[in-house]
Amino acid sequence: MRPFTDRQQLLRWLYSGRMAASTGIYMAALFVWSDVEQSQTLVASLIMTSATLFTVLSALYSEVYRRPLHPTFLSAQSLFDLLLVTAIVHITGAGESQFTALYILVIASASLLLTTRLSLLVAALGCVLYFGDALISADDAATATLWMQLSVFGVVALTSGYIGAKLREAGLGSEQLAAELAKARLQASDILKHIRSGIITIDARGILRFANPTAESLLDMPLDAHIGEPIVARIEAVAPGLAKALQRAMVGGQRTVRTEDRVTTATRTFPIGLTTTQRDEARPGDPPDQATTTAIFQDISDQKRLDVLHKRAERLEAVAELSASLAHEIKNPLASIRSAVEQLGRSPTATPDEVVLSTLIVRESDRLSRLLSEFLDFARARVSRITKVNLAAVARGAAELATAHPDRSPGMTVDVHLPEEFIIEADEDLLHRAIFNLVLNAIQASPDTGVISVELENVNTDHTTGGPSFDLGAVALRVSDQGDGVSDDIRDRLFDPFFTTKPGGSGLGLSVVHRAIEAHGGFVFFDSDTRGSRVTVLLPVSHSEIGVPA
């Protein structure tokens, strides 16, 4: 069983009582007791000196250096106090001393400071010292007063020991409760500090009560410096929807659940998901009407981009199924039509006009056949065979093939930043087609003297931001051009089949890229500004992320 938990304060009272008793005896020996012997004055001086020295050393140990209060230290305090009281009782009449009651204080304090067993030992030692001193100093040791004092000591020891045990049990329970509460507070503080959602709490007057670091980062303002100040107006400058939600909850008690808003800081604009909650009761120390409102919000830009990617994938899958069926249905009749028209054009009886028309039909049939072939490539963009692939070599070969394309002007540069080797598990042919289309698209979008950049790097994906994550690692392939950029209305349709801004284009290049990367379990991200456009392909390293057998 552990000692009473409030030992530090009890020790302070013990130090004060010890010094008061020793100082009182010393002053009485000097100025009050006229018939005191020289030996008694010497004993009083020793009492004063030893009490002062021991108390100073004990205070240094417990108060200044804050050392742990071990049972040995506490037992030494009780033992010294027994010796001190015995000396005081001895010079003031031994068995007939008026200071005998000091033993009771020492026994009671020991019951609170020490364990039950040690406190009973202190009480027993006190009885022995008192009895021995009385036996030496008195002619008749077996007086009724002496035995009554010893009986009182025993009763006090038992009673105070029982009370001390109960207090220790209560103190242990309170200490455990305090430890659990401190643990819960630390856990809550750690969670709120590292959570990826911003949390802001205001009271009914709009005074900021709490803000976690994520809220400061998302709103790009030092919220912690404004604790205790009105904050809604400051928030409104960067997040009007968040400020309105706080005001509605603060004034009308209306809660906001799973709505969206936009945050505009000095560096960027992004969407957030927002929820508000309320606590109607006040905290201790707050006015009774001080209810609080808490707003929880987070950056959902990654999630919205993923939603767009998933919708795009679903749309492309539907178009792919339709394209495959239509291509098969059209290609065979088209071949028959082309062959028949070509034979009619070569007939000796064909007129010049018929020859021209047949040539036109054959040429357009060939163009339509190429389009149907692209349809089939788009529809068949599926992983069929997984092997260990050197992605750097595949990307380098696709870039070299695109560099030799007639659409590249002589002054254009394709700058390749690739490692010698980067092994992933993938379908090599499908990746080669996708990367070739990306580089060719960048070449066609760049000016005659532009620079096309192809980069490859290992990335660490984050599982907590709502973005894509790969348990076994991922790689990012980035193709950048120096074109004029793409406007927002066009950007949303870039990956749609048959949408193109190039004369004579089929509009299937980027659609094939998206289908190929999605078949590998990856993602395609597109960014554009006045400096050019960047397509980033995120691919898993292992095929186990895809679910396709090797």
Side-chain angles (χ1 to χ4, degrees), residues 190-471:
D190 187 64
I191 291 172
L192 293 177
K193 182 178 180 181
H194 296 94
I195 195 172
R196 294 305 182 99
S197 296
I199 300 176
I200 292 176
T201 299
I202 63 171
D203 61 20
R205 298 171 296 170
I207 303 298
L208 180 63
R209 296 301 181 188
F210 173 81
N212 69 340
T214 304
E216 292 187 333
S217 176
L218 290 176
L219 299 179
D220 195 21
M221 62 173 60
L223 294 174
D224 193 57
H226 298 289
I227 297 292
E229 301 177 5
I231 198 63
V232 178
R234 295 178 182 271
I235 295 176
E236 189 175 11
V238 295
L242 174 58
K244 290 179 181 178
L246 289 172
Q247 287 175 338
R248 285 196 301 268
M250 182 176 62
V251 177
Q254 297 179 354
R255 296 184 178 183
T256 302
V257 181
R258 300 177 65 86
T259 62
E260 294 185 11
D261 183 33
R262 298 196 71 81
V263 174
T264 303
T265 65
T267 56
R268 64 183 185 128
T269 299
F270 58 94
I272 60 171
L274 170 64
T275 298
T276 61
T277 62
Q278 286 183 291
R279 188 173 60 86
D280 296 331
E281 68 275 9
R283 292 181 178 178
D286 287 346
D289 59 343
Q290 285 297 296
T292 60
T293 297
T294 298
I296 304 172
F297 57 98
Q298 57 185 347
D299 183 355
I300 59 172
S301 55
D302 286 339
Q303 186 59 50
K304 292 185 76 67
R305 295 184 75 177
L306 282 180
D307 291 341
V308 171
L309 291 178
H310 289 313
K311 290 179 180 178
R312 183 196 300 164
E314 293 174 359
R315 185 169 63 250
L316 291 179
E317 182 65 28
V319 173
E321 294 178 2
L322 179 62
S323 299
S325 60
L326 286 177
H328 282 295
E329 293 295 330
I330 296 174
K331 196 163 188 179
N332 291 334
L334 181 64
S336 300
I337 293 172
R338 180 190 184 283
S339 177
V341 171
E342 187 176 22
Q343 291 179 13
L344 290 175
R346 292 176 181 177
S347 174
T349 60
T351 66
D353 290 339
E354 290 173 343
V355 172
V356 172
L357 290 175
S358 64
T359 303
L360 176 62
I361 293 173
V362 169
R363 185 175 68 247
E364 292 303 315
S365 296
D366 290 339
R367 191 175 69 84
L368 186 56
S369 179
R370 287 193 301 271
L371 181 60
L372 290 175
S373 297
E374 292 182 9
F375 268 20
L376 290 175
D377 288 341
F378 168 67
R380 293 169 181 168
R382 288 185 174 89
V383 173
S384 59
R385 181 170 168 270
I386 290 291
T387 58
K388 295 283 187 180
V389 174
N390 183 359
L391 182 59
V394 173
R396 191 176 293 108
E400 291 174 356
L401 182 61
T403 303
H405 196 275
D407 287 348
R408 186 185 77 88
S409 63
M412 190 177 297
T413 303
V414 178
D415 195 0
V416 178
H417 302 278
L418 300 174
E420 288 298 322
E421 185 176 79
F422 201 110
I423 304 299
I424 67 170
E425 296 177 353
D427 186 320
E428 183 173 356
D429 293 337
L430 195 57
L431 279 186
H432 185 278
R433 273 196 292 162
I435 298 172
F436 170 78
N437 280 330
L438 283 179
V439 179
L440 180 59
N441 189 76
I443 288 174
Q444 293 170 344
S446 293
D448 292 341
T449 57
V451 177
I452 310 301
S453 177
V454 181
E455 302 169 286
L456 183 64
E457 62 180 352
N458 193 15
V459 295
N460 293 320
T461 57
D462 194 338
H463 292 257
T464 61
T465 60
S469 61
F470 303 98
D471 293 335

Side-chain angles (χ1 to χ4, degrees), residues 8-9 12 58-69:
Q8 201 77 33
Q9 183 63 33
R12 297 189 187 103
S58 299
L60 287 173
Y61 180 89
S62 63
E63 299 294 332
V64 178
Y65 297 108
R66 294 285 181 178
R67 299 294 177 83
L69 301 180

